[in-house]
Amino acid sequence: MFIDELVLYSYIFSLTILLIFSSHGFIMLYYHKKYKKNNPVQNKSDLCDKTITVQLPLYNEMYVAERVIDSVCKLDYPSELLEIQVLDDSTDETFDIVAKKVAQKKSEGFNIVHIHRNNRKGFKAGALKAGLEIASGEFIAIFDADFIPKKDFLKKTTRYFSNDEIGMIQTRWEHLNEDYSILTKVQALALDGHFVIEQSVRNKSGFFINFNGTGGIWRKECIIDAGNWNDDTITEDLDLSYRAQLRGWKFIYLRDFTTPAELPLEINALKAQQFRWTKGAIETAKKILPLVWKSHIPLRIKLQSTFHLTNNLVFPFILLAGILNVPLIFIKNAGPYDNFFNFMSIFVLAFVSSFLFYLFAQKDIHKDWRKKMTFFPIFMAGSMGLAVNNSRAVFEGLMNRKSEFVRTPKFHVTDENDLLSSNKYFNSTKVESSAFIELLLAVYCFIGVGASIYFGELAAIPFQLMFFFGFAAVSALSFKHSLLKDKKVRVK
């Protein structure tokens, strides 16, 4: 009896946490409607009299380095006011590729410099900081290696530096390879929720937003005033964003101007990216939240910032709920707990909130939103499947376990005709120990599916299936993508 009640109360506690964070989607949608017309102010004409430094942080990006350099050199901006820094920490063939490309662009008259460090001290934050020390620009635009900025990026974004309080302009990410596979389609759905709703709503409502690490432009004075780039978290972009806004700087988010980029098309690369984002957010929350609550900003901003910085705490509770789902089937059919299970029906609101959140995001930017929302169940299952990977990230962040900045491999694969033929970075991916745990959990959750069918618990079957398919898909892809070595393959 004691064990049964412990399982029940633990499950209810987990669902309560998930309900609190998921129901925040209702708040986002409320502000989305309330402030829909609260658009950022821009100058009426292009501001092409400001010096701008474009920084391209690279680390072993042999397949996309030339592409991002070429795209930046096509930016429509007076050449005498434009400086390009290739911040190259590479240890492989990328160095020679970049050196050759930079030399070519210099001969064509571009003000471009190749800055190579012999160590990765501070990782991306260290590279950006080193480049900033010698940057001549009043403004600093930053693009990761897999991004392809549009020609009018600088002209469009600098218009929004309408007063001296504006410190950063962030653009929405566009997905070059969204339709490549189910994996990329699901990622696009997830990211659109952040970029279409979260970033836009927070900005229009007067809350803090974050620089997304790329596809944005900073006022150099803002970076320096906020304390410059720090490397004590692995999400240096989120950290600097909050420090700057706590100093009084204003940010602007441009939902309707996009910067194209590649999505990870390989599950182990995605897991590495998710791990870095999750752990870094927890590290930043521990560092920044005390400053947020000690500051004199309004309470509504403090509360919203707390949700923003701590939302990754849901992953351990998703994992716990998945584990407890199975014994609950047996407990329900063996004990007098009908009132508990009747009460738990309220937690369906968490699913409803998430569905509406992503539905409105798709409707805002896609005409074929109905087709895209068919991937929502797969997205939900995938979120459950990544719970092991991301829970480990949460715990490492909470326990101050330091780790290096693991880059997300870029493959220069954007459509179905592109092959991963002897791709060095694809072949270097390894099976993480989490894949074995995910496989065991898939088998475990399959027992829950069978038990639900046996006992006729029809309402439980969809959630049992999502946990099963989530863990099964993530583990299967982890093994599959790690074993496809030196083959001409498409990752589907």
Side-chain angles (χ1 to χ4, degrees):
M1 186 70 70
F2 171 76
I3 298 298
D4 290 354
E5 291 184 358
L6 179 62
V7 171
L8 282 168
Y9 284 116
S10 297
Y11 188 71
I12 289 175
F13 179 72
S14 298
L15 292 187
T16 300
I17 299 297
L18 297 178
L19 178 62
I20 291 171
F21 280 99
S22 296
S23 296
H24 186 251
F26 289 127
I27 298 174
M28 287 281 100
L29 294 177
Y30 165 75
Y31 282 123
H32 176 58
K33 182 177 181 180
K34 181 177 181 180
Y35 295 103
K36 193 167 187 176
K37 297 181 180 180
N38 192 12
N39 295 314
V41 177
Q42 60 175 311
N43 290 299
K44 295 181 179 180
S45 59
D46 296 331
L47 298 179
C48 295
D49 59 345
K50 306 295 184 182
T51 55
I52 296 177
T53 296
V54 177
Q55 292 186 323
L56 307 176
L58 305 177
Y59 174 67
N60 294 351
E61 303 285 8
M62 59 185 293
Y63 298 106
V64 293
E66 289 183 289
R67 184 180 67 181
V68 69
I69 293 172
D70 284 334
S71 65
V72 167
C73 288
K74 294 177 182 177
L75 289 170
D76 184 13
Y77 202 77
S79 58
E80 66 275 11
L81 298 175
L82 184 63
E83 173 190 47
I84 303 170
Q85 293 181 337
V86 185
L87 308 175
D88 181 18
D89 287 356
S90 299
T91 57
D92 67 358
E93 301 93 320
T94 305
F95 172 79
D96 295 323
I97 293 171
V98 170
K100 182 178 179 181
K101 175 59 69 171
V102 169
Q104 174 196 331
K105 292 302 179 182
K106 276 187 175 180
S107 68
E108 294 174 4
F110 290 95
N111 179 14
I112 184 170
V113 59
H114 183 193
I115 302 174
H116 183 257
R117 300 193 304 166
N118 293 322
N119 61 74
R120 293 186 72 201
K121 182 180 180 182
F123 305 110
K124 182 179 177 180
L128 292 171
K129 188 174 183 178
L132 191 70
E133 290 177 356
I134 57 174
S136 62
E138 181 181 345
F139 296 92
I140 310 293
I142 300 172
F143 303 105
D144 282 349
D146 55 326
F147 278 68
I148 307 176
K150 296 178 180 178
K151 288 183 64 175
D152 58 350
F153 178 91
L154 296 179
K155 286 188 174 181
K156 286 290 180 67
T157 55
T158 52
R159 288 179 181 178
Y160 289 89
F161 286 103
S162 53
N163 63 66
D164 293 339
E165 293 182 342
I166 308 298
M168 193 277 298
I169 311 293
Q170 174 69 52
T171 63
R172 174 164 63 89
W173 292 5
E174 187 179 355
H175 317 300
L176 287 169
N177 57 343
E178 175 177 351
D179 294 324
Y180 182 82
S181 67
I182 292 177
L183 184 62
T184 55
K185 290 176 181 178
V186 171
Q187 288 180 73
L189 176 69
L191 286 171
D192 286 344
H194 170 69
F195 282 99
V196 178
I197 300 293
E198 285 183 337
Q199 285 283 68
S200 179
V201 167
R202 286 182 180 131
N203 195 220
K204 290 183 177 183
S205 305
F207 299 123
F208 288 175
I209 65 168
N210 60 288
F211 171 56
N212 292 109
T214 176
I217 180 168
W218 288 79
R219 190 185 297 272
K220 182 179 179 181
E221 181 188 352
C222 173
I223 298 176
I224 295 172
D225 179 67
N228 216 319
W229 298 102
N230 290 176
D231 60 7
D232 53 351
T233 76
I234 53 175
T235 46
E236 71 294 321
D237 44 11
L238 180 61
D239 172 34
L240 180 60
S241 297
Y242 265 80
R243 285 188 281 118
Q245 289 168 106
L246 285 170
R247 292 279 298 171
W249 291 94
K250 306 299 182 184
F251 287 4
I252 288 178
Y253 177 69
L254 304 181
R255 195 202 71 171
D256 297 324
F257 184 78
T258 62
T259 303
E262 285 186 37
L263 293 163
L265 52 81
E266 189 268 328
I267 190 66
N268 294 295
L270 174 62
K271 289 169 78 172
Q273 182 189 71
Q274 288 292 311
F275 184 90
R276 187 178 73 246
W277 288 354
T278 302
K279 180 178 179 178
I282 297 298
E283 292 176 329
T284 303
K286 290 179 64 178
K287 174 183 177 179
I288 296 296
L289 277 180
L291 302 179
V292 168
W293 283 95
K294 289 177 183 177
S295 70
H296 298 294
I297 60 177
L299 178 61
R300 63 189 291 270
I301 298 180
K302 292 180 179 180
L303 291 171
Q304 182 62 221
S305 298
T306 302
F307 270 94
H308 185 189
L309 293 174
T310 62
N311 57 24
N312 286 298
L313 290 173
V314 300
F315 288 106
F317 295 101
I318 292 175
L319 181 59
L320 182 58
I323 293 171
L324 296 180
N325 259 334
V326 177
L328 276 173
I329 298 298
F330 296 94
I331 291 172
K332 183 178 181 182
N333 287 274
Y337 299 110
D338 288 344
N339 289 335
F340 277 99
F341 289 95
N342 290 335
F343 169 76
M344 278 193 269
S345 61
I346 192 174
F347 294 111
V348 174
L349 287 173
F351 180 85
V352 173
S353 174
S354 297
F355 178 79
L356 292 176
F357 178 84
Y358 289 98
L359 173 66
F360 277 87
Q362 294 303 307
K363 287 185 70 174
D364 272 14
I365 59 172
H366 294 298
K367 293 182 179 179
D368 60 341
W369 57 270
R370 292 180 180 85
K371 178 180 178 181
K372 293 185 180 296
M373 282 302 294
T374 60
F375 292 96
F376 180 75
I378 302 176
F379 159 69
M380 291 292 288
S383 299
M384 296 170 180
L386 287 169
V388 174
N389 178 76
N390 292 356
S391 293
R392 183 167 68 89
V394 169
F395 290 129
E396 286 197 12
L398 291 173
M399 294 186 295
N400 297 322
R401 289 188 60 182
K402 295 300 178 184
S403 57
E404 69 171 304
F405 185 106
V406 179
R407 59 179 276 280
T408 306
K410 315 300 189 310
F411 306 117
H412 201 162
V413 174
T414 57
D415 61 55
E416 62 181 11
N417 295 317
D418 291 333
L419 300 175
L420 287 177
S421 178
S422 299
N423 186 292
K424 174 180 177 180
Y425 301 141
F426 178 68
N427 290 333
S428 67
T429 57
K430 299 178 181 179
V431 178
E432 294 287 340
S433 59
S434 61
F436 295 94
I437 300 174
E438 290 151 2
L439 179 59
L440 290 174
L441 285 171
V443 175
Y444 173 78
C445 290
F446 187 72
I447 296 173
V449 174
S452 298
I453 295 173
Y454 177 80
F455 288 114
E457 297 292 344
L458 301 181
I461 292 175
F463 294 98
Q464 297 281 8
L465 281 173
M466 281 197 289
F467 273 109
F468 164 68
F469 281 119
F471 289 126
V474 171
S475 62
L477 288 176
S478 297
F479 289 114
K480 176 184 176 181
H481 291 174
S482 296
L483 295 174
L484 292 174
K485 305 291 186 182
D486 299 314
K487 295 181 181 179
K488 292 184 177 182
V489 296
R490 294 184 179 91
V491 180
K492 291 295 187 181

